[in-house]
Amino acid sequence: MAQTRTGALVMIPLAEAQERVLAGCGILDEVTLAVGDARGLVTTETVVAPELVPPFDNTAMDGFAVRSADVVDAPVTLNIAGTIAAGVPPDITVGAGQAVRIMTGAVIPPGADAVVMVELTETSPDGEEVTVAQSVPAGNHIRGAGEDLTVGQTVFGPGEVLTPGHLGVLTSLGMYQVKVRPKARVGVMSTGDELVEGPQPLEMGQIRDSNRHTLLALLAEAGCEPVDLGSMADDEAGIAAGIRAGVEKCDALLTSGGVSMGDYDYVKKVLEEIGDMSWMQVAIKPAKPLAFGLVEGIPVFGLPGNPVSSMVSFELFARPGLRKMMGHSPDTWHRQRVTGRVAQRLRRRPDGKTHFARVRVEYADGEFLVRSAGGQGSHQLSAMAAADALAVLPDGVGLDEGEPVSLLVLR
Ligand code: AMP
Ligand code: MG
C-alpha cells in the first residue's frame, strides 16, 4: 500500500521541495496578443521606437506662440495673427511683432520659438492684439519632438511585465500587438466525498467546498486564467479521468485533498500511476503533504485538503511555479519578504518544521508590527482570510515580543 511505503518518507526542507516543483514547471511558448489582452503579462520582445514621441514640437500650455526676441522688453503688445488648435497642421507663420493663439498639444508654428501662457497675457477687447506681461526664454513651454522617445531607441526589453503604462507607450508608438508569454490556463479540481456545493442545509458529515473557490480566485489574482473543473468524489477511476481531461485543456492543474495518509487519499495514488509524480512530506506547517508531478508533461499540483493548507501550499509552490511558466524573472517568483517586529508573542511547539503563521501587519513608526491574525489551525480559514502576511517561525518555541520576524507578504 502507498501509505506504508510513503509513511517511511522523511520530511524534506521547503527549499528542496520548491526546487523540485520549479524544475517541473516549463516556460510557456510566446504568443502575439493585442495590447488590450496583455496587461500583467511578460513581454518576450525588445521594443524599439519606430517613430518620435512626441512626433512634432508642440505647446505644453494654452497661450500665445511668439518670437522670444519680441518679448524681451515686456510688457509688449503684439498683433494676433491667428489661432492654432491641437490636431491641425499650422497654416500661419509668426512674423516679427506677431503672436499666434495656440492650444495645448498644437504644433508650434514656423517663426515662433516660445510660448507665453495665457495667464501672462491680456487680449484687447477687439481680439486684434495681445499684451504679454513678462519676457520668456526661447523654448519656453515647447515640448520638443522626440523628447519622450527617439527613433531607434530601445523602449523596454524582453522580461518586462506589461503595466498599463507600458501598454500606453506601445500604443503611443502605433504598436497594437505585442509578443508575450501567455497567461497560464490552470484547472482547479476539488476531491472529497464530503464536499457539497450550494446553500442547502448540510447533511451530517458534509462540508461545503471552499478550496475550489479560493484557488480559482488565487489564480486570477496571480494573473493566470482559472478553469473550474468541479469537484470529484474519492474514487480512483473518476479522479484519474478528471485529471486526464484537465491536462488536455490546461497548462497546469491544481487539485485539493487526497494527498495525505488517509485510506481514501487517491490523488497521490492516481498521480503516481498516470504521472511522473513525486509525493513529498515538506518540513512546514501548515501544508506538509504535497503531491507534484507531470501528467502528459503538464504540471499537476496535488495540494492538501485543509483550507489553510491548500492556500499556503499554493503560495509556496503553485504561485512560484506558475509565475515561472509565465516568464516572470526568478527574483519575483516568490512572494516578497520583509522583516517585521513581533508585537505580540507568536507561540509554537518544536516539531522539526518551519511554521507559517497567519498574521496581521501594521505599519507604525517606520516598522511592520506583527500580530496573530487568529486561530492557527489549518482548518481555520477565517484567520487566513484576515492575514496580511505569513510569518516565518523557525523550528522552536516561537518568537517573543520585540523580536524580528521574516514575513511573506500576501497583499
Ligand atoms: P484530505 O487532504 O482530503 O484528507 O482533506 C483534509 C481536510 O480538508 C478534511 O477535513 C477535508 O474535509 C477538508 N477539505 C478537503 N477538500 C476541501 C475543500 N475543497 N473545501 C474545504 N475543505 C476541504
Ligand atoms: Mg479527502
Side-chain angles (χ1 to χ4, degrees):
M1 282 302 289
Q3 48 266 57
T4 38
R5 233 181 340 116
T6 48
L9 272 184
V10 289
M11 292 190 294
I12 61 171
L14 173 62
E16 188 184 325
Q18 285 174 321
E19 258 170 52
R20 282 198 211 174
V21 167
L22 286 163
C25 293
I27 297 170
L28 299 172
D29 291 339
E30 69 174 21
V31 292
T32 301
L33 293 183
V35 291
D37 297 324
R39 185 178 58 82
L41 301 182
V42 177
T43 182
T44 54
E45 63 180 316
T46 303
V47 174
V48 176
E51 57 191 40
L52 295 174
V53 181
F56 47 84
D57 292 352
N58 69 94
T59 173
M61 290 284 179
D62 296 318
F64 288 87
V66 299
R67 294 166 172 252
S68 56
D70 283 354
V71 297
V72 168
D73 297 322
V76 295
T77 299
L78 304 169
N79 290 319
I80 299 175
T83 299
I84 305 174
V88 295
D91 55 356
I92 313 167
T93 297
V94 181
Q98 290 186 324
V100 165
R101 185 176 299 150
I102 193 166
M103 310 304 151
T104 302
V107 183
I108 301 296
D113 68 354
V115 170
V116 183
M117 65 177 173
V118 72
E119 291 87 340
L120 294 178
T121 66
E122 199 175 324
T123 304
S124 61
D126 62 4
E128 298 285 324
E129 289 175 339
V130 59
T131 300
V132 173
Q134 281 177 24
S135 72
V136 294
N140 196 54
H141 296 319
I142 294 178
R143 305 188 284 207
E147 256 182 33
D148 188 10
L149 297 170
T150 60
V151 175
Q153 183 183 339
T154 296
V155 186
F156 49 81
E160 197 77 31
V161 179
L162 296 173
T163 64
H166 291 106
L167 303 178
V169 167
L170 288 169
T171 51
S172 80
L173 290 165
M175 303 167 100
Y176 297 96
Q177 299 211 310
V178 59
K179 287 194 179 116
V180 292
R181 302 280 171 207
K183 282 187 176 189
R185 265 174 73 81
V186 187
V188 180
M189 187 195 298
S190 296
T191 70
D193 286 343
E194 72 277 35
L195 303 178
V196 294
E197 176 91 11
Q200 72 280 7
L202 295 172
E203 310 222 340
M204 184 52 73
Q206 292 183 330
I207 61 163
R208 301 185 208 281
D209 179 358
S210 60
N211 290 353
R212 196 157 43 87
H213 300 285
T214 313
L215 292 169
L216 289 166
L218 281 168
L219 286 167
E221 205 181 65
C224 302
E225 187 187 328
V227 180
D228 188 351
L229 300 177
S231 182
M232 292 280 162
D234 287 316
D235 166 71
E236 208 177 316
I239 289 171
I243 290 175
R244 280 190 204 282
V247 299
E248 287 285 309
K249 55 179 178 183
C250 296
D251 300 312
L253 234 57
L254 308 180
T255 66
S256 78
V259 292
S260 46
M261 308 292 284
D263 287 351
Y264 305 103
D265 287 336
Y266 289 126
V267 172
K268 69 170 195 259
K269 191 152 181 268
V270 165
L271 284 177
E272 220 159 49
E273 276 157 21
I274 68 171
D276 160 18
M277 199 224 31
S278 72
W279 181 69
M280 298 173 253
Q281 298 260 54
V282 189
I284 56 172
K285 185 178 177 178
K288 182 172 73 159
L290 171 72
F292 175 78
L294 302 179
V295 176
E296 310 291 343
I298 299 296
V300 181
F301 296 82
L303 307 179
N306 277 304
V308 177
S309 307
S310 69
M311 286 187 80
V312 170
S313 196
F314 178 90
E315 290 296 341
L316 297 177
F317 301 107
R319 197 173 179 279
L322 295 167
R323 286 179 66 78
K324 179 185 175 191
M325 292 171 73
M326 295 190 291
H328 289 273
S329 67
D331 56 319
T332 69
W333 290 346
H334 298 283
R335 288 283 197 181
Q336 202 190 340
R337 285 246 188 178
V338 300
T339 301
R341 188 169 301 283
V342 177
Q344 195 178 63
R345 187 177 166 193
L346 296 169
R347 294 163 203 268
R348 53 155 293 174
R349 270 198 278 268
D351 57 5
K353 298 179 219 164
T354 302
H355 288 198
F356 290 88
R358 280 69 73 199
V359 294
R360 299 214 61 137
V361 181
E362 179 201 356
Y363 187 72
D365 298 330
E367 56 183 2
F368 296 108
L369 299 179
V370 179
R371 292 181 178 80
S372 169
Q376 295 292 318
S378 61
H379 59 299
Q380 289 172 302
L381 191 52
S382 56
M384 182 70 186
D388 302 308
L390 296 173
V392 184
L393 305 182
D395 194 17
V397 293
L399 297 174
D400 282 331
E401 190 180 327
E403 285 198 270
V405 55
S406 178
L407 302 170
L408 245 93
V409 182
L410 296 177
R411 55 183 170 217

